[in-house]
Amino acid sequence: MASPNGPVLLVEDDDGIATPLSAALRGDGYEVRRVATGGDALRAAAQGCAAVVLDLGLPDMDGVDVCRRLRGVAPGTPVLMLTARTSEADVVVGLDAGADDYVTKPFRLAELLARLRALLRRAATEPGRPTHRTLTAHDVRVDVDARRAWVGERELELTPKEFDLLALLVSEAGTVVSRERIMRQVWDTNWFGSTKTLDMHVSWLRRKLGDDANAPRYLTTVRGVGFRFAGGS
Ligand code: CA
């Protein structure tokens, strides 16, 4: 069976598990992308994948947090959790965080493959599952299609221009976006000098984000150039 929407993303730091599991997935016809940390998983998932096989025990982040954030980065993508934790409470926490199913280590490869097939089948036959394009940087999430944005769990009330500005800056998180480009893309105008409007919008956006221009957590002014949204996920 070919992977329908990109590779299966395998998130597992333990080579002793990841290597045979990758081979088994490939043997079943899936394209596989393997990463070993939660940070890499979130970045890879944002680029699109058919499903995520997610280990709970990761070196940089708790798998439950990764799962929760996957729901923002890749809504509608099935998540199969691998857990060494057998207590019912841990499994419930995992499912609450948005996992669609789980397999307890040690597992049989055939069982894992069967669970994954079932999840992919279900995802393919549930047209109601959201497929919104979502951007994230830091703890800010922007749903481009719904035109909604959040800081952590708090939804921001943004004007249309503030939303466009935030979406542009978050989409380029970690790099400086020039004033000229912002004026062109958000205000649909070529820049002839004054960008007072832009500065006002940046200041309103900062206030809504709860950011401080003098000690910015999200939005940094790069003097003479433009603005940079904090990178990382
Ligand atoms: Ca692990």
Side-chain angles (χ1 to χ4, degrees):
M1 174 188 156
S3 305
N5 304 308
V8 169
L9 179 60
L10 172 59
V11 189
E12 169 62 87
D13 58 311
D14 184 345
D15 288 337
I17 291 168
T19 304
L21 184 48
S22 296
L25 288 165
R26 290 199 176 96
D28 231 28
Y30 299 106
E31 188 192 329
V32 179
R33 174 150 186 211
R34 186 246 170 149
V35 296
T37 64
D40 283 345
L42 293 168
R43 275 185 286 277
Q47 291 163 20
C49 59
V52 183
V53 177
L54 174 66
D55 180 35
L56 268 191
L58 294 170
D60 60 331
M61 288 169 72
D62 190 309
V64 169
D65 288 333
V66 177
C67 189
R68 212 167 270 135
R69 290 168 66 173
L70 275 173
R71 294 276 68 117
V73 175
T77 302
V79 177
L80 178 62
M81 236 177 209
L82 300 181
T83 172
R85 310 170 192 178
T86 49
S87 94
E88 205 172 318
D90 285 329
V91 168
V92 169
V93 166
L95 295 177
D96 274 352
D100 296 280
D101 200 359
Y102 67 94
V103 173
T104 308
K105 290 177 178 177
F107 52 84
R108 291 185 308 116
L109 285 171
E111 186 196 345
L112 186 145
L113 292 172
R115 297 281 189 97
L116 183 61
R117 270 196 300 275
L119 286 183
L120 285 167
R121 238 188 343 259
R122 211 160 79 197
T125 55
E126 283 180 24
R129 289 182 81 101
T131 55
H132 287 188
R133 287 170 299 150
T134 307
L135 307 167
T136 56
H138 223 293
D139 60 346
V140 173
R141 184 159 56 94
V142 179
D143 183 330
V144 179
D145 294 314
R147 295 187 65 86
R148 297 173 71 185
W150 295 261
V151 178
E153 305 291 310
R154 177 170 65 91
E155 183 163 4
L156 298 170
E157 283 183 34
L158 301 174
T159 65
K161 288 296 182 209
E162 287 166 0
F163 179 87
D164 291 341
L165 177 60
L166 179 65
L168 172 59
L169 292 169
V170 170
S171 75
E172 296 287 336
T175 60
V176 183
V177 184
S178 70
R179 288 173 170 273
E180 197 173 1
R181 182 172 162 203
I182 297 172
M183 293 309 289
R184 205 169 49 236
Q185 280 189 230
V186 177
W187 275 272
D188 201 19
T189 177
N190 282 311
W191 176 39
F192 300 112
S194 170
T195 51
K196 201 172 268 175
T197 306
L198 169 56
D199 288 311
M200 268 160 52
H201 279 78
V202 165
S203 135
W204 293 330
L205 189 55
R206 275 199 176 113
R207 199 172 313 154
K208 291 182 180 179
L209 286 165
D211 210 1
D212 177 358
N214 297 316
R217 191 165 163 238
Y218 300 107
L219 195 47
T220 302
T221 304
V222 181
R223 223 165 271 290
V225 187
F227 299 94
R228 183 183 59 238
F229 204 89
S233 41

